[in-house]
Amino acid sequence: MSHTDFVSQVPEGFKVIGKTATCPTAAMENKDKKFYAIQFHPEVNNTVNGTNIIKNFLFKVCDCHGDWKMSSFVEETVQNLKEKIGDKKALCALSGGVDSSVAAVLVHKAIGKNLTCIFVDHGLLRKNEGDEVEEIFRNQFDINLVRVNAKDRFLEKLAGVTDPETKRKIIGEEFIRVFEEEAKKIGTVDYLVQGTIYPDVIESGLGKGTTIKSHHNVRWTS
């Protein structure tokens, strides 16, 4: 474990409650304030009693009840979107990946043709994936879809570049420029729909956090 990956001194009011040979603060707590921190993954299979650690935190520390049901998520989300957006217009940056696809379908269920999706085909997808995205969202879901063929534009920007992080930043910057150009053609919209999971924000470097790898969707929303 590198020297940047462990806590060498705990904050005032905390005490160490777990450690390993390479991690002097594997777990710490401030009981009075109900603050707890761990330097390991309790959710993985090889963590002993990992599930119990999560349960104790949720039900004994946070006082959660565990009565939420996944089955109601879609209905509640669509209803909330209907109330929030009403008859206004929304624009979605659609990549064809899970995050933006779920966001697009949920908003489409709520506002129908008042949603427009822009799919920037940068030429870096799997074979035939661009056509599949278009088929699914335009023909199967009947979503307003604008497909932008920007393959040559992206590949020209990436020519000769070998560093992965530099490539990601180029792709992110060009994605934003293409999206902005297409959005101007559409005109005034009231909402921007963006499917971004929080790990993407963390990996892209949050505040003073170290950048693991840049995500173009985070660069757009930030």
Side-chain angles (χ1 to χ4, degrees):
M1 180 176 290
S2 69
H3 70 281
T4 59
D5 289 330
F6 66 82
V7 176
S8 60
Q9 183 177 353
V10 300
E12 183 178 350
F14 281 81
K15 73 173 184 177
V16 176
I17 56 174
K19 61 183 179 180
T20 71
T22 57
C23 186
T25 311
M28 64 181 180
E29 71 173 1
N30 182 324
K31 262 191 174 181
D32 293 336
K33 295 184 177 181
K34 289 190 174 183
F35 288 163
Y36 299 85
I38 55 177
Q39 184 72 28
F40 60 91
H41 290 276
E43 76 279 7
V44 298
N45 291 333
N46 59 351
T47 297
V48 178
N49 291 320
T51 301
N52 286 335
I53 292 172
I54 296 173
K55 283 182 177 178
N56 286 339
F57 179 73
L58 291 174
F59 301 129
K60 294 183 179 179
V61 177
C62 300
D63 293 325
C64 294
H65 301 290
D67 54 0
W68 182 83
K69 292 182 174 60
M70 183 64 190
S71 59
S72 63
F73 175 78
V74 173
E75 290 79 4
E76 290 180 4
T77 301
V78 170
Q79 184 58 38
N80 289 338
L81 288 167
K82 285 181 179 179
E83 295 172 0
K84 175 72 175 178
I85 302 173
D87 59 356
K88 294 181 178 179
K89 305 287 186 180
L91 185 64
C92 177
L94 178 67
S95 70
V98 173
D99 304 338
S100 63
S101 295
V102 170
V105 172
L106 286 173
V107 176
H108 176 68
K109 284 179 177 291
I111 66 172
K113 293 298 183 177
N114 279 341
L115 169 69
T116 299
C117 292
I118 296 178
F119 168 45
V120 179
D121 188 350
H122 43 52
L124 304 171
L125 300 170
R126 301 173 184 88
K127 183 179 180 181
N128 300 325
E129 188 172 3
D131 294 336
E132 292 169 359
V133 170
E134 184 174 7
E135 163 64 24
I136 291 171
F137 289 93
R138 177 172 286 151
N139 298 330
Q140 294 187 30
F141 285 115
D142 193 30
I143 289 177
N144 285 331
L145 178 69
V146 177
R147 179 180 179 180
V148 186
N149 184 3
K151 174 182 176 180
D152 293 341
R153 180 170 172 173
F154 276 84
L155 295 182
E156 182 180 342
K157 292 279 186 178
L158 293 167
V161 181
T162 57
D163 177 66
E165 180 61 15
T166 303
K167 287 181 180 180
R168 284 189 283 265
K169 288 182 177 178
I170 291 172
I171 293 168
E173 180 67 25
E174 202 61 20
F175 177 89
I176 293 170
R177 300 288 81 83
V178 174
F179 186 86
E180 286 176 339
E181 291 168 12
E182 294 300 319
K184 288 177 182 177
K185 298 176 184 177
I186 293 171
T188 303
V189 293
D190 303 285
Y191 292 94
L192 173 67
V193 180
Q194 182 66 57
T196 303
I197 58 174
Y198 200 66
D200 288 356
V201 179
I202 296 296
E203 289 187 352
S204 297
L206 180 65
K208 296 181 180 179
T210 301
T211 298
I212 300 172
K213 66 176 183 178
S214 297
H215 292 261
H216 69 273
N217 50 356
V218 174
R219 297 185 72 239
W220 170 255
T221 55
S222 60

